[in-house]
Amino acid sequence: GQNIDQPTEMTATEGAIVQINCTYQTSGFNGLFWYQQHAGEAPTFLSYNVLDGLEEKGRFSSFLSRSKGYSYLLLKELQMKDSASYLCAVYKAAGNKLTFGGGTRVLVKP
Amino acid sequence: GAVVSQHPSWVICKSGTSVKIECRSLDFQATTMFWYRQFPKQSLMLMATSNEGSKATYEQGVEKDKFLINHASLTLSTLTVTSAHPEDSSFYICSARGSGVGGGTDTQYFGPGTRLTVL
């Protein structure tokens, strides 16, 4: 089976930095996705990490350590519109599917 | 690129009726489409995976006779909730994977979701 853990909620101030951690234990692993989901909307793709290391895309960066079963999403220069749920998802090619963590609700305060 | 549409956006129906939800990839060919269900404040739960022209693979606990999936072409998949009951009320989201899109062939792109309310 697969076990994917991320914090339930985080609160941060506008302009600050927030790091959302995701740990996973899976029987197979091909990559890790991060999605953003605003309430009542579908998830939108943020990043995909296959190899160890940090990938930066503007204000958002994602890190992966395959040996530790660990990833994080870093949100910099937080804006009010960043208030959303952030979902990490493990991709397993065998079985061809994504398994999602429970999601982390981030609340950005002025 | 990588736009996925769903129709309808929301639907309210009476208990016992059937509801069909369409999922289309608008600017790429989706070799695989996925159907998820999401209850309030919960994460996405995969219901089934379908490849064009073949039968869908359902996740454990999902009734294939209740949730009928048809993936007739590389751009269209449908989910029919048969004999819907109030406990089927949920947010249903499809996603699609294919070639020729920026995120690579592993990336799933999600439709906007369909909110189903069964009275």
Side-chain angles (χ1 to χ4, degrees), chain B residues 29-89:
Chain B
Q29 292 190 323
T31 49
T32 309
M33 285 185 165
F34 305 84
W35 287 96
Y36 293 85
R37 183 165 52 182
Q38 186 177 35
F39 292 105
K41 296 192 177 179
Q42 294 186 23
S43 193
L44 282 75
M45 297 299 295
L46 179 65
M47 298 175 68
T49 303
S50 73
N51 294 295
E52 184 261 340
S54 61
K55 287 185 180 179
T57 302
Y58 289 80
E59 294 300 298
Q60 195 170 12
V62 178
E63 299 174 58
K64 62 180 180 181
D65 294 330
K66 180 168 182 65
F67 298 99
L68 302 178
I69 291 171
N70 186 298
H71 191 163
S73 76
L74 282 171
T75 59
L76 173 65
S77 175
T78 60
L79 167 69
T80 302
V81 183
T82 61
S83 187
H85 291 284
E87 58 266 29
D88 298 323
S89 298

Side-chain angles (χ1 to χ4, degrees), chain A residues 30 33 35 37 39-45 48 50 87 91 95-103 105, chain B residues 32 34 36 38 41-44 46 49 51 59 91 93 97 103 106-113 115:
Chain A
N30 289 96
F33 286 88
Y35 285 88
Q37 186 180 27
E41 299 180 12
T44 55
F45 168 74
Y48 180 38
V50 177
L87 311 173
Y91 173 62
N96 186 27
K97 58 187 177 184
L98 282 180
T99 303
F100 284 85
R105 282 192 296 280
Chain B
T32 309
F34 305 84
Y36 293 85
Q38 186 177 35
K41 296 192 177 179
Q42 294 186 23
S43 193
L44 282 75
L46 179 65
T49 303
N51 294 295
E59 294 300 298
F91 192 46
I93 308 174
R97 256 178 38 159
D106 294 341
T107 300
Q108 290 184 28
Y109 294 92
F110 287 83
R115 188 160 302 283

